[in-house]
Amino acid sequence: MAITAPRGTQDFLPEQTGDWQKLEEKIRSICRIYGFGEVRTPIFESTELFLRGIGETTDVVTKEMYTFEDRGGRSMTLRPENTASVVRAYLEHKLYGEQKVHKFYYMGPMFRHDRPQAGRYRQFNQFGVEEIGSQDPAVDAEIIAMAFQLFRELGLNDLVLHLNSVGCPKCRPVYRQKLIEFFDGKRDELCDDCKSRLDKNPLRVLDCKEDGERMLSEGVPLITDYLCEECAEHFEKVQSYLTGIGISFEKDPRLVRGLDYYTKTAFEIMYAPLGAQSTVCGGGRYDGLIEEIGGPSVPGIGFAVGMERLLLTLKEQGLLPPVEELRPAYIVALGDEARKEAFILQQALRAKSLYAEIDTNGRSMKGQMKAANKINADFTVIIGEDELAQGQAQIRNMETKEQETVALGDVVEYIESKKKG
Ligand code: ATP
Ligand code: MG
């Protein structure tokens, strides 16, 4: 049986990676003007990190992790997301010692045992940021603005921001109690997953794709009605900063994260036509996470963008113009000696940073001319028997069809001046 790529993974061939590279460049340029520096962490970490950093009751941890034992008998996990790793690195390098805000960004593959479908894979890529060390609501608004600037510069205008506050360990217990009271007697109406969520983490019932919407229409209590003064003020300020820069939002009480270390702002940016895979970006504040992972009490906030989903969105909107390709000089040669000259010329052109190609399939003269056309050569350099004998080459401009005879020793300079001039 033929060996294929694992289910839920994809190969990207050169025709597709051009789009990835353009997206990555755009991301890097925006990160620079927002003051974020790139961080690269390992693709696998101790399982324990994700148990603590994502939470043992979440779907990611209970159902989706690629966990394995290494040869030393240690439990390792392919990273399902990158926030926990970035925070681990921040602690490991003791960056908290300085009174400073740290702004990190990352891009790279994540691994989750999800059910594969369009926009949902087992290996997928995220671009994300983590801003660690500030509680200022301006920072919440800053990273949301950053995501929007990226989307806008890519040409996407119809993305919708969903915004909520999930409170903090001061105000959430009261809300949690209200929820438990509300769900009391409704247990039988809930899906099996929600029944177990109810015991471990009642907030996450709202997040459920099956029951969440329905519970809202049945008047489930909303966290925003139970925020403490500090959280309410923070939420107000985030909204006013966003309004101040013209970013509109929908308040979405279903955006909840039941874990104690997620605090205050939670948000998602959606592109509705992607259906069940409509969330292109998800993020929020985690003022309790760093302590949870074993560090001091330092606040943080971040988001992650699903890059495959973003590319799907761009494609659907016709926002992926063909990538402009470099046109080569193609050196046509017949016979061993001429082919050797062609090879030397090819390398001499490349040494001047010019794109050059030769035939490596033993094609005839005619076949080589065809090949030159096929790869859209702008010049062909023809070394036939006569030319070789006279130490010359014919150079044809493939656009104008003009042809000139040039000494072999002058070919590089000739092409360089034509291309750059
Ligand atoms: P979903 O509800 O769609 O499963 P999530 O809540 O699990 O998303 P996050 O953990 O917030 O997603 O990850 C941030 C972003 O990463 C998502 O908004 C999405 O764009 C992308 N993402 C998450 N899981 C996948 C996946 N399996 N395949 C492709 N992209 C994904
Ligand atoms: Mg998921």
Side-chain angles (χ1 to χ4, degrees):
M1 226 177 54
I3 299 174
T4 57
R7 197 165 127 75
T9 68
Q10 308 181 81
D11 297 313
F12 296 106
L13 300 176
E15 300 86 79
Q16 294 142 344
T17 46
D19 293 332
W20 280 91
Q21 288 164 9
K22 274 204 289 189
L23 175 59
E24 286 158 6
E25 267 167 45
K26 175 57 81 186
I27 287 171
R28 290 186 198 285
S29 76
I30 288 191
C31 286
R32 266 196 296 278
I33 61 167
Y34 278 79
F36 285 76
E38 188 182 4
V39 59
R40 298 189 192 198
T41 62
I43 269 171
F44 64 95
E45 299 265 3
S46 294
T47 302
E48 178 66 20
L49 175 66
F50 300 120
L51 298 185
R52 282 207 256 160
I54 303 175
E56 301 196 34
T57 63
T58 57
D59 284 356
V60 169
V61 166
T62 55
K63 303 182 197 160
E64 299 172 1
M65 292 211 301
Y66 278 93
T67 297
F68 61 97
E69 198 173 280
D70 75 4
R71 287 173 190 273
R74 290 165 290 250
S75 179
M76 295 289 161
T77 295
L78 299 182
R79 63 182 187 192
E81 52 108 78
N82 209 20
T83 302
S85 310
V86 172
V87 166
R88 196 243 339 112
Y90 170 87
L91 289 175
E92 195 163 331
H93 298 278
K94 299 196 168 54
L95 302 180
Y96 49 83
E98 314 152 38
Q99 275 283 323
K100 187 167 184 261
V101 177
H102 287 270
K103 298 161 93 167
F104 303 104
Y105 83 92
Y106 60 83
M107 277 191 266
M110 308 296 156
F111 306 84
R112 295 186 193 178
H113 204 278
D114 255 327
R115 197 168 66 80
Q117 51 200 294
R120 193 175 290 286
Y121 314 95
R122 291 184 173 170
Q123 173 171 341
F124 61 99
N125 290 273
Q126 286 185 338
F127 150 58
V129 304
E130 312 295 347
E131 182 155 356
I132 301 177
S134 171
Q135 307 202 39
D136 193 329
V139 165
D140 308 37
E142 170 185 42
I143 67 162
I144 292 171
M146 181 179 184
F148 268 88
Q149 183 162 351
L150 171 67
F151 298 143
R152 212 176 310 115
E153 289 189 12
L154 290 167
L156 288 172
N157 294 305
D158 34 10
L159 295 176
V160 182
L161 170 62
H162 290 226
L163 191 66
N164 197 21
S165 172
V166 298
C168 70
K170 258 185 291 168
C171 46
R172 214 161 22 217
V174 182
Y175 174 61
R176 194 186 160 99
Q177 196 49 45
K178 289 280 168 201
L179 271 185
I180 291 170
E181 283 163 24
F182 174 83
F183 286 124
D184 190 38
K186 283 190 190 287
R187 198 184 179 87
D188 294 340
E189 297 171 32
L190 299 175
C191 73
D192 288 347
D193 275 349
C194 279
K195 283 189 187 113
S196 74
R197 283 182 188 124
L198 214 48
D199 304 322
K200 292 182 202 145
N201 202 340
L203 269 78
R204 295 215 37 250
V205 174
L206 284 181
D207 190 23
C208 171
K209 290 186 172 86
E210 273 180 58
D211 294 328
E213 202 74 55
R214 195 161 48 85
M215 289 302 124
L216 272 190
S217 66
E218 292 186 17
V220 68
L222 304 181
I223 176 75
T224 39
D225 293 329
Y226 295 90
L227 296 178
C228 64
E229 210 175 306
E230 186 192 321
C231 288
E233 192 190 320
H234 187 97
F235 194 34
E236 271 309 313
K237 282 197 171 149
V238 173
Q239 294 176 60
S240 107
Y241 282 142
L242 288 173
T243 309
I245 53 171
I247 292 180
S248 53
F249 50 84
E250 284 175 19
K251 287 204 216 172
D252 185 348
R254 283 192 51 198
L255 283 183
V256 288
R257 298 179 154 187
L259 302 164
D260 277 356
Y261 37 85
Y262 290 114
T263 54
K264 298 183 174 135
T265 310
F267 65 94
E268 284 189 352
I269 302 172
M270 328 271 279
Y271 179 66
L274 294 184
Q277 277 71 248
S278 60
T279 307
V280 174
C281 173
R285 212 167 239 294
Y286 46 78
D287 291 350
L289 174 63
I290 295 169
E291 240 177 322
E292 178 69 30
I293 293 180
S297 170
V298 181
I301 184 168
F303 67 65
V305 170
M307 295 176 78
E308 282 82 356
R309 285 189 200 176
L310 180 52
L311 283 169
L312 276 175
T313 305
L314 289 167
K315 192 160 184 195
E316 175 153 328
Q317 296 266 295
L319 293 168
L320 289 177
V323 179
E324 226 179 279
E325 278 174 32
L326 216 52
R327 300 182 70 177
Y330 193 98
I331 307 152
V332 173
L334 263 196
D336 276 356
E337 223 175 306
R339 281 181 186 272
K340 184 177 168 194
E341 269 321 310
F343 178 78
I344 291 168
L345 259 183
Q346 169 183 251
Q347 292 312 114
L349 285 161
R350 290 172 177 174
K352 295 276 184 196
S353 298
L354 296 168
Y355 177 26
E357 290 281 6
I358 59 173
D359 170 53
T360 52
N361 285 116
R363 288 186 181 89
S364 66
M365 208 69 149
K366 210 170 131 204
Q368 292 182 44
M369 289 306 290
K370 255 196 200 160
N373 268 317
K374 198 156 179 202
I375 61 171
N376 200 24
D378 51 359
F379 290 93
T380 46
V381 180
I382 303 157
I383 313 176
E385 251 170 56
D386 295 348
E387 284 88 1
L388 189 65
Q390 290 160 33
Q392 290 176 332
Q394 299 282 336
I395 301 184
R396 182 182 298 180
N397 181 323
M398 301 294 274
E399 286 300 319
T400 64
K401 306 291 176 209
E402 279 169 320
Q403 201 156 303
E404 278 189 67
T405 305
V406 176
L408 275 178
D410 297 336
V411 170
V412 173
E413 206 181 324
Y414 178 92
I415 290 188
E416 194 176 25
S417 74
K418 291 279 176 187
K419 287 221 199 207
K420 290 180 179 164

